[in-house]
Amino acid sequence: MSAAERFLAVTPASQGYEFSLYPAATCFSQAQEILTSGKIAEKPGEKLDVLITAISKKGVDAFTKYQEFVNTHLEVPQEDRERRLKPLGAVTLAKSSLHLGTQEWDKAVEAANAYIEWEAANPPPPPAKTIVDVALMNKYRALIELCAKNLAPACDPYLKETEEVIKAWHTLKPKGNKVYVFMVNGLSRRYLYAAAQAENKKLDKAVISAYERKITDLQGARLEVMEVAEVDELT
């Protein structure tokens, strides 16, 4: 983290300011990834959560300052304009991950959508591969939190969008059955909670039944994929 802090020590008046913001933000982004992936010995808990939130916020702030600087300092040579275009996708995708760390779920969804749109307009040249699946996973994680944050029936749009994200992810990763099952289980639990909330609020029985039918549908999709995975392992 000391490297990031040194980059941030460069003042806006310096010619190297733009070149310091991006690596600083990248350092924070990489630190967040390390902390959330369990690659360090730090035990999960409140202390780790506070650290992740603080680092994620610094990363978001640094990327935002970088984008603001680029957007307000347009009088640069053509080679610099081309150079600035290259990290745009990486910045957007990184911000979607960082917003997860700051628990800004709506902003994480927004950034994930922005990356998906960016890659559609700027497809990676071969042999590079799409990383839209990463954006979709970030979006899934944020939407699941929004499902939890909004009680039934306010959660309905988020439940529906989460299912669409799962399908899109599995289309890109058809062999990622274990992750797919994990995602489906997460959504199924949210529908289970929604059904219980609807019952407690004495909502119309048709609403409760719709939640319960969706749970059945999701579990059916999960079992179907698990059966296919077992066959693939045997062949």
Side-chain angles (χ1 to χ4, degrees), residues 18-160:
E18 175 184 349
F19 299 98
S20 66
L21 285 174
Y22 182 77
T26 301
C27 286
F28 288 126
S29 179
Q30 291 174 343
Q32 184 227 28
E33 181 181 358
I34 292 171
L35 289 170
T36 56
S37 65
K39 294 178 181 177
I40 61 170
E42 187 76 33
K43 294 182 179 179
E46 184 177 350
K47 182 179 178 182
L48 180 59
D49 291 342
V50 170
L51 180 60
I52 290 172
T53 300
I55 288 175
S56 299
K57 186 178 185 306
K58 288 182 178 181
V60 169
D61 291 344
F63 273 130
T64 300
K65 287 180 180 178
Y66 171 77
Q67 289 176 305
E68 289 174 349
F69 183 90
V70 168
N71 292 337
T72 55
H73 294 73
L74 304 176
E75 299 300 323
V76 295
Q78 181 62 29
E79 61 182 24
D80 284 339
R81 295 178 190 174
E82 294 175 358
R83 171 184 55 77
R84 286 174 169 181
L85 289 174
K86 293 180 180 179
L88 281 179
V91 169
T92 306
L93 185 58
K95 286 184 75 173
S96 76
S97 297
L98 290 166
H99 282 306
L100 292 175
T102 57
Q103 299 184 15
E104 297 173 293
W105 314 123
D106 288 311
K107 290 183 178 180
V109 170
E110 182 181 348
N113 286 335
Y115 177 80
I116 293 169
E117 292 176 6
W118 181 88
E119 192 182 291
N122 303 272
K129 297 181 180 180
T130 178
I131 50 175
V132 165
D133 57 292
V134 178
L136 287 170
M137 181 57 72
N138 286 348
K139 187 175 179 180
Y140 166 83
R141 292 172 60 193
L143 286 170
I144 282 292
E145 294 294 342
L146 288 168
C147 290
K149 185 178 178 181
N150 293 271
L151 300 181
C155 60
D156 289 1
Y158 301 111
L159 292 168
K160 182 179 179 181

